[in-house]
């Protein structure tokens, strides 16, 4: 259920990012260029390439964004845990799911090592979120903590 919801949310986000409004009036970029309109400039600057430390500009941005997502998610989870079961477990699950979705959105264009480490964190958050839904007990967070440690190592944080 959670995967289906996350897939729908990500699909809608990608649909909106592609400029589709659903009213059937979207003009493909090739058609607007052929009509004499100036081609839109890309909103994301090209990567500056590897720096002397081996990090790329996209990797640094992804690391910063995902690290902020992790901290925000853990803060919100701590607040939700104070509610207590059963409502608190649902709130905790929702916070982990939202954090995972944010992380996925930030690692999509990151360099492979950073993307893989970020996805591992998001996957671990998803597993914890799914286990909180059953309301029987608090799940083991050791795999999530290990994934966060591996992510920080991949980013040099």
């Amino acid at each position: 259920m959670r995967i289906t919801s996350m897939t729908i949310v990500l699909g809608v986000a990608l649909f909106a990012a592609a400029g589709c409004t659903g009213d059937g009036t979207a003009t493909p970029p090739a058609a607007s260029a052929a009509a004499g309109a100036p081609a839109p400039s890309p909103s994301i600057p090209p990567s500056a390439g590897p720096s002397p430390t081996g990090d790329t500009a996209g990797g640094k941005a992804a690391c910063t964004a995902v690290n902020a997502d992790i901290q925000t998610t853990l803060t919100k989870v701590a607040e939700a845990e104070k509610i207590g079961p059963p409502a608190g477990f649902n709130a905790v699950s929702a916070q982990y799911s939202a954090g995972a979705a944010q992380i996925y959105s930030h690692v999509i264009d990151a360099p492979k090592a950073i993307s893989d480490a970020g996805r591992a964190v998001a996957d671990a958050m998803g597993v914890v979120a799914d286990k909180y839904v059953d309301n029987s007990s608090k799940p083991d967070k050791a795999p999530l903590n290990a994934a966060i440690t591996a992510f920080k190592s991949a980013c040099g944080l």
Side-chain angles (χ1 to χ4, degrees):
M1 176 71 180
R2 184 187 68 74
I3 296 296
T4 302
S5 298
M6 193 178 328
T7 302
I8 291 170
V9 170
L10 289 174
V12 169
L14 290 174
F15 188 73
C20 299
T21 60
D23 62 3
T25 61
T27 305
S32 65
S41 62
S43 60
I44 301 173
S47 174
S51 69
T53 61
D55 190 15
T56 63
K60 186 171 182 91
C63 286
T64 302
V66 171
N67 193 46
D69 292 340
I70 291 169
Q71 298 311 314
T72 300
T73 299
L74 294 179
T75 299
K76 289 181 179 182
V77 163
E79 291 171 10
E81 284 179 331
K82 292 178 186 175
I83 298 170
F89 281 0
N90 290 329
V92 169
S93 176
Q95 292 302 334
Y96 275 123
S97 294
Q102 279 293 106
I103 291 170
Y104 284 129
S105 73
H106 287 123
V107 299
I108 198 163
D109 290 332
K112 183 167 177 30
I114 294 168
S115 179
D116 289 348
R119 287 179 189 189
V121 172
D123 291 345
M125 282 185 179
V127 169
V128 172
D130 289 345
K131 292 194 179 201
Y132 261 104
V133 172
D134 71 17
N135 290 330
S136 63
S137 65
K138 289 185 177 182
D140 180 20
K141 295 180 189 172
L144 173 59
N145 293 333
I148 291 171
T149 300
F151 172 78
K152 288 183 177 185
S153 176
C155 287
L157 299 174

